[in-house]
Amino acid sequence: MAENLRGILLMVGAMAAFAIEDMFVKWMGATMPPGQILMMLGAGGAAGFALLALARREPLVSPVFFSRAVVLRNLGELTGTFGFVTAIVLTPLSSASAILQAMPLAVTLGAALVFREPVGWRRWSAIGAGFLGVLIVIRPGTAAFEPASLFALLGVAGLATRDLATRAVPRATTSVVLSAWGFSMLIPTGAALLALTGGAAVPSGATLGMLAGAVLLGVAGYWSLTQAMRMGEVAAITPFRYSRLVFALVIGVLVFGERPDAWTLAGAALIVGSGLYTLWREARLGRRRAARAAPATPGAAPR
């Protein structure tokens, strides 16, 4: 119980750090184009994780960088980060964060389609319900539809691809090194986007402070998330990932004056509920498989 409690507190702390990081990104978006934000976040994040890797004596240069799994992971990282950062800048933080909560469902869907992992009808139903929640938040074809909200969907697809590709990366390559590589890919991506759109701005002292805060919170959130997943029971700790939406809603209302309507809140609730059910089913099936694989107790009577 103590390990679970520490893991839950670390997970909630990580989600709070990510939500505040998103707040800084949205603030920067008021005076800076998305391409420039991507370049700066990429440089700051890559430097932060590179320093962390060097402190842990983990090699940053490796032939694994050119493997198909790492290349696909990096493509997913830059696509997902580009989509989500653009969505944060152009749309309300509350709705972009609500759509992002569909990522675990997208990972489950991808695992079933790509890795042929077994998914029963209950989890298929939960995935369908979760994406219905996304449609409720976006509301295509209505007056409330914001085309820029599709960037959040691009973020979900990219980040889900990143997580799925990570499964195929050799275990000898640590998450810190992978994160350094992934963030470094944002630099040329942001530069290309900036070349197409133009309009680079000279960052003010306040903007540089926000950037430093975003990078520090991103690295701290990553560390807390990693530590949380290494202690206690995964089934008890993972559901608290959804606390990020609570923090995002509070920040959106108090800081940016957003007023999520009933449809947005209902869609977010459906997404979160579907994700929690999927996590519960996966944990339950995992316990069943472990019980079947466990050797029989010596001396036990056959059943």
Side-chain angles (χ1 to χ4, degrees), residues 81-152:
T81 305
F82 162 72
F84 190 53
V85 166
T86 306
I88 290 174
V89 171
L90 300 179
T91 67
L93 179 62
S94 52
S95 61
S97 298
I99 295 170
L100 183 68
Q101 305 313 306
M103 194 183 74
L105 297 171
V107 171
T108 301
L109 175 64
L113 297 178
V114 177
F115 295 111
R116 304 298 180 186
E117 293 186 6
V119 175
W121 68 269
R122 293 180 180 85
R123 281 191 289 168
W124 280 120
S125 300
I127 292 170
F131 285 111
L132 175 61
V134 171
L135 290 176
I136 292 173
V137 173
I138 296 177
R139 279 166 282 174
T142 69
F145 173 61
E146 291 189 51
S149 62
L150 296 178
F151 282 113

Side-chain angles (χ1 to χ4, degrees), residues 21 28 36-52 179-187 208 210-220:
E21 177 192 16
M28 287 191 291
Q36 190 173 357
I37 294 175
L38 284 174
M39 287 180 62
M40 295 171 68
L41 285 177
F49 283 112
L51 289 173
L52 188 57
S179 296
W181 291 347
F183 269 96
S184 68
M185 294 296 100
L186 298 180
I187 302 173
L208 291 175
M210 293 176 200
L211 174 67
V215 171
L216 288 174
L217 285 167
V219 174

Side-chain angles (χ1 to χ4, degrees), residues 23 26 92-95 245-261 264-265:
M23 179 186 72
K26 190 167 183 64
L93 179 62
S94 52
S95 61
L245 179 57
V246 177
F247 293 119
L249 288 171
V250 171
I251 291 172
V253 170
L254 297 182
V255 177
F256 299 107
E258 299 174 3
R259 295 293 182 268
D261 58 19
T264 299
L265 295 175

Side-chain angles (χ1 to χ4, degrees), residues 100 192-193 234 251 262 274 290:
L100 183 68
L193 181 61
V234 173
I251 291 172
S274 302

